[in-house]
Amino acid sequence: MRLYGKVFVYHVIAAQKRAEELSEQGIISIACPRYSNGIGQVLRFSFKSIWHLMKNERAGDEVVLIGSTFVSFVGIALWIYRTVLFKNIKIITWIRSIAVQELSVRSPYIAKVAGVFEYVLLGMSDKVIMNGHDTYAFYADKYHLRGKAFTVENAVPNDELFSVCPISEEKVYIDIAYTGRYSSAKGFEIYLESVKRFVANNPVSNIRFHCYGHGPLADLIDVDLVVDHGKYTPEKIIAILEQTDIVVFFNKSGIAAGVSHSLLETMAAARGIIAWDNKIHNQVCDEKMAYLVPENDIDNLVKIYEDICNNRQNLVKKAVAARRCAEGYSILNHIRKFIGIVRE
């Protein structure tokens, strides 16, 4: 059943392949060029999107704003437009993370200004969707959203992940990897410190450490201890997981939020998981499917590495349980939840 006559996507221009995918699905893509200046990017994207939204608007439209800060100008302008002209448009904001907390790590001033626009946008939105229970808990009470706030967890983005061969118990080395942005919010420096302590205590072991990504903390990498594979594209995720036995997740409480796509991908691929035991991760993971470590406890983390060296069967058992859990986060379930919310 087709729910929408037309689907428009307003976005900052990305990879050519992604634009082609949108076109193949019959989606009308309206792209804004990418600029190096962050504020300039927000303004250019906002003006272009607002102009085309007003030009393409039809009665009964549902506008889904992905995020709560970058798109705030668009949402506020759209609310004013529909209020003044009595337009029948539904505004839905879909929060992907605790954006203001992430911004505060880079610039407290920008975060404060963004927080004001976020507050206004969420107040004007007809419905607000969160991508995890931790995100919901943060926003629902702070911005008085109960009654119009809902949770739709992220989904496993590629069914091919379920076909990745399970971890081999016969493999000589165990490969542990960090994937994503090399930043404090993601705990990258803690990962590097844990590797340093482990190698100091265990100069000879069957563990190899890797990192895939890029970011401001790249200069901290000791190439003698960690193999830096650099920036990667989404198309390479399956190849990375095929070469990896365990992925670490050190997202910090109060900054990162939501059910991580990377975590779901790792689960679907039947890979081992080492994660902080906090609200971000344990809304999905438990001890049956992951090694959960008290947040920032590097000594305990090193002990986990040592335990894995000596007990690979436990690693394999947890990875299999993680894949079973990931089956509940299908794209179909994701879509059904979304439709149930916007059409209720």
Side-chain angles (χ1 to χ4, degrees):
M1 181 179 70
R2 188 176 178 87
L3 294 171
Y4 297 100
K6 290 183 179 179
V7 176
F8 295 83
V9 173
Y10 303 83
H11 63 99
V12 175
I13 196 163
Q16 181 62 29
K17 182 178 179 181
R18 184 57 56 86
E20 291 171 357
E21 288 174 350
L22 292 175
S23 178
E24 289 170 1
Q25 295 172 39
I27 294 172
I28 302 167
S29 172
I30 298 175
C32 175
R34 184 179 293 278
Y35 296 91
S36 57
N37 181 280
I39 299 298
Q41 181 73 80
V42 171
L43 293 175
R44 287 179 173 90
F45 169 77
S46 298
F47 287 130
K48 182 165 186 174
S49 298
I50 291 165
W51 169 255
H52 283 279
L53 272 166
M54 292 177 181
K55 188 168 66 172
N56 297 323
E57 172 267 322
R58 297 291 182 274
D61 278 358
E62 294 167 355
V63 178
V64 181
L65 303 166
I66 306 299
S68 58
T69 54
F70 186 89
V71 296
S72 59
F73 291 130
V74 178
I76 293 168
L78 188 63
W79 183 87
I80 295 171
Y81 171 76
R82 79 168 185 184
T83 302
V84 171
L85 299 179
F86 302 99
K87 294 289 185 176
N88 179 22
I89 303 171
K90 185 181 290 185
I91 300 174
I92 302 161
T93 299
W94 197 328
I95 296 178
R96 311 300 299 166
S97 65
I98 303 176
V100 172
Q101 296 284 37
E102 293 184 10
L103 279 172
S104 66
V105 176
R106 300 180 225 172
S107 172
Y109 175 74
I110 291 177
K112 190 172 182 179
V113 173
V116 173
F117 284 103
E118 179 181 71
Y119 178 80
V120 174
L121 172 65
L122 297 182
M124 292 176 169
S125 299
D126 298 296
K127 294 185 179 180
V128 180
I129 299 174
M130 323 288 184
N131 70 334
H133 296 295
D134 58 329
T135 319
Y136 181 95
F138 179 86
Y139 279 102
D141 289 329
K142 182 177 180 180
Y143 292 119
H144 310 292
L145 301 176
R146 293 189 183 275
K148 69 175 184 179
F150 306 86
T151 301
V152 178
E153 296 89 349
N154 290 332
V156 178
N158 189 343
D159 286 342
E160 292 180 24
L161 288 159
F162 290 101
S163 299
V164 174
C165 292
I167 298 170
S168 171
E169 293 189 45
E170 307 302 321
K171 187 179 170 189
V172 176
Y173 288 99
I174 298 171
D175 290 292
I176 297 179
Y178 172 105
T179 62
R181 183 171 171 79
Y182 300 166
S183 68
S184 292
K186 304 293 185 180
F188 185 64
E189 76 279 21
I190 291 180
Y191 173 63
L192 297 180
E193 178 61 26
S194 72
V195 173
K196 182 179 178 180
R197 292 192 197 181
F198 172 79
V199 173
N201 296 341
N202 305 271
V204 178
S205 76
N206 63 339
I207 290 184
R208 297 185 297 199
F209 295 94
H210 307 260
C211 57
Y212 296 83
H214 68 289
L217 302 184
D219 291 342
L220 298 180
I221 300 169
D222 184 339
V223 295
D224 293 326
L225 303 180
V226 180
V227 181
D228 180 15
H229 299 270
K231 193 173 182 179
Y232 63 92
T233 60
E235 292 78 20
K236 294 184 178 179
I237 291 295
I238 290 179
I240 291 171
L241 290 171
E242 286 176 334
Q243 299 166 20
T244 302
D245 300 298
I246 302 169
V247 181
V248 300
F249 295 91
F250 300 143
N251 296 299
K252 293 186 177 181
S253 296
I255 300 178
V259 177
S260 162
H261 273 118
S262 296
L263 179 57
L264 292 175
E265 289 167 342
T266 302
M267 292 165 59
R271 263 36 196 176
I273 295 164
I274 301 174
W276 292 147
D277 187 6
N278 60 25
K279 292 181 180 179
I280 300 169
H281 306 118
N282 62 25
Q283 62 185 310
V284 177
C285 293
D286 59 26
E287 292 285 358
K288 294 179 181 178
M289 67 181 73
Y291 297 92
L292 298 178
V293 185
E295 191 162 348
N296 299 322
D297 190 341
I298 298 178
D299 290 337
N300 224 315
L301 184 54
V302 171
K303 290 178 182 177
I304 293 294
Y305 295 154
E306 292 170 345
D307 178 65
I308 290 170
C309 286
N310 301 318
N311 191 352
R312 197 178 301 197
Q313 286 185 337
N314 192 34
L315 165 63
V316 173
K317 184 178 178 181
K318 287 177 181 288
V320 171
R323 171 171 277 179
R324 284 198 299 267
C325 179
E327 292 172 356
Y329 293 86
S330 68
I331 291 177
L332 184 58
N333 285 341
H334 185 78
I335 293 171
R336 283 172 176 165
K337 283 187 178 181
F338 170 75
I339 293 171
I341 291 168
V342 299
R343 293 298 171 89
E344 71 169 4

